[in-house]
Amino acid sequence: MVERILITGGAGFIGSHLAEQLLDSGKEVAILDNLSTGRFENIAHLVGRPGFSFAIASITDTPVLDRLASESQAIVHLAAAVGVKLVVEQPVQTIETNIMGAEAVLKAAARYRAKVLIASTSEVYGKGVRVPFREDDNVVLGPTSRNRWAYAASKMVDEFLGLAYFQKYDLPVVIARLFNTVGPRQTGRYGMVIPRFVGQALRNEPITVYGDGSQSRCFCDVSDTVRALEALLEQKEAVGRVFNVGSTEEISILELARRVKSRLNSDSPIQFIPYDQAYAPGFEDMQRRVPDITRIHALLGWRPRLNLDDILQRVADWQHSR
Ligand code: UDP
């Protein structure tokens, strides 16, 4: 029997790449997406491929979710609020989408004993100061008066709920904490730094560095990320556990701006924008965010294949082609 996998949020940036990868591996793929931040154009090229189907509906549309879950052996839950900017601006929607969405997916999966892979986020490490971040580290979040932390808290609830379904009902659940993921089809619309910097550099507009640019991140190409997700889905030993998925190549945001400028031969000036103008007054950023990927490497032998320069090239080529 061909395995059929449901991807919630499958028309999004990561979901659409995962769909493609799973179809290439000979699996059947159904996508559920309400197109709130996902785009049909991300999956248009998959329409008509054998084993591919989609439903434009919300994860809280219970009859649709129930039908799709009943037809699937596994569910990858990617449907969630996207990006810090949206989270700061739309707190109610963020919290509701993240918590109610995961709850609906786990309930539906439990009815049919489908395996669930929940995409969580490096945001759950909050203000963690011990770098690199390990899956079992303690986490420190900011106060509830700062919207940003609602995202981390809501994804933590998703993780707790997923692990609780595993413990109480023996439902096979895996948690992947995705660190900054980049690649073709990601737009700068939701604030993500690399598509924004690349677009600004290609148009010779100012490259907008928030704060002093000393904050750092590690960027992972989406092709590496979806390879990790597929492997996690297939590996029985991953069940009931949490895994970091990300690159360990750390770069400060100011250095990133310089790198983008020089690699794309751009005349863009670098412009510093205070955080409270970029986001909201009192906004707190994460200073460093680096994953420890020992756990996933030990289990699956996974580590990223593409480096930052490869990623910048792929993003620039994609933006050019549009
Ligand atoms: N950032 C920036 N300029 C931009 C967009 C983002 O300096 O135009 C910074 C942002 O403040 C953060 C980092 O780049 O420190 C990564 O931001 P992104 O939204 O891509 O991901 P995050 O790590 O915040 O989830």
Side-chain angles (χ1 to χ4, degrees):
M1 189 181 71
V2 176
E3 202 183 1
R4 184 175 154 93
I5 296 164
L6 168 63
I7 307 176
T8 70
F13 155 60
I14 300 174
S16 64
H17 284 277
L18 179 64
E20 208 168 313
Q21 156 104 9
L22 294 174
L23 286 168
D24 288 347
S25 302
K27 305 207 167 66
E28 293 187 356
V29 172
I31 278 176
L32 175 63
D33 201 302
N34 67 357
L35 300 185
S36 59
T37 52
R39 286 174 307 154
F40 189 73
E41 118 188 40
N42 287 343
I43 52 168
H45 65 294
L46 301 177
V47 176
R49 274 187 70 162
F52 177 74
S53 63
F54 64 88
I56 308 298
S58 160
I59 27 176
T60 50
D61 187 334
T62 312
V64 177
L65 178 62
D66 185 84
R67 175 178 60 79
L68 292 172
S70 75
E71 296 164 352
S72 306
Q73 283 73 52
I75 305 177
V76 180
H77 180 48
L78 283 162
V82 175
V84 173
K85 212 169 167 54
L86 192 69
V87 169
V88 170
E89 287 163 8
Q90 313 256 18
V92 173
Q93 196 190 321
T94 301
I95 299 167
E96 290 186 352
T97 305
N98 287 0
I99 295 181
M100 284 155 52
E103 188 189 358
V105 164
L106 286 162
K107 274 197 173 130
R111 280 196 286 274
Y112 305 102
R113 297 211 63 74
K115 188 170 194 173
V116 181
L117 192 157
I118 294 182
S120 184
T121 165
S122 56
E123 278 281 316
V124 303
Y125 289 104
K127 304 190 204 188
V129 283
R130 195 175 75 170
V131 179
F133 297 154
R134 267 184 295 202
E135 288 88 347
D136 293 329
D137 281 346
N138 291 330
V139 296
V140 181
L141 301 186
T144 50
S145 52
R146 305 273 158 87
N147 287 350
R148 178 194 187 129
W149 305 112
Y151 184 65
S154 63
K155 292 304 276 190
M156 280 178 81
V157 171
D158 292 359
E159 291 195 15
F160 276 126
L161 198 59
L163 295 172
Y165 267 80
F166 168 69
Q167 284 151 14
K168 289 298 279 184
Y169 309 128
D170 216 15
L171 188 72
V173 176
V174 185
I175 313 282
R177 285 189 185 151
L178 306 188
F179 284 66
N180 296 66
T181 307
V182 207
R185 294 186 209 137
Q186 185 181 46
T187 69
R189 199 179 316 159
Y190 304 106
M192 276 66 179
V193 67
I194 287 190
R196 283 176 56 81
F197 282 8
V198 167
Q200 289 163 342
L202 291 175
R203 297 187 298 268
N204 287 317
E205 290 169 3
I207 297 181
T208 54
V209 170
Y210 299 161
D212 64 5
S214 65
Q215 72 274 30
S216 69
R217 296 292 187 271
C218 301
F219 297 95
C220 188
D221 191 273
V222 66
S223 62
D224 284 319
T225 306
V226 300
R227 194 163 48 79
L229 296 181
E230 182 177 19
L232 285 173
L233 209 51
E234 281 175 357
Q235 171 58 259
K236 283 194 177 65
E237 315 254 308
V239 162
R241 302 178 72 193
V242 179
F243 294 87
N244 286 338
V245 177
S247 156
T248 52
E249 186 184 352
E250 185 179 11
I251 187 167
S252 76
I253 297 302
L254 178 56
E255 196 46 49
L256 175 69
R258 293 192 182 122
R259 180 88 72 94
V260 168
K261 211 171 121 75
S262 73
R263 285 201 63 88
L264 302 182
N265 287 319
S266 167
D267 295 329
S268 292
I270 291 177
Q271 184 187 2
F272 292 90
I273 299 182
Y275 279 118
D276 50 4
Q277 266 176 44
Y279 297 100
F283 179 82
E284 294 183 274
D285 201 4
M286 275 167 122
Q287 189 56 24
R288 286 182 74 191
R289 185 190 274 163
V290 182
D292 181 321
I293 54 171
T294 308
R295 183 177 287 181
I296 189 168
H297 185 258
L299 185 66
L300 306 169
W302 179 89
R303 62 161 60 104
R305 290 178 186 154
L306 301 188
N307 65 25
L308 182 60
D309 287 337
D310 300 326
I311 294 173
L312 295 179
Q313 195 57 52
R314 267 160 57 80
V315 172
D317 289 347
W318 182 74
Q319 291 201 8
H320 254 313
S321 73
R322 283 162 54 93

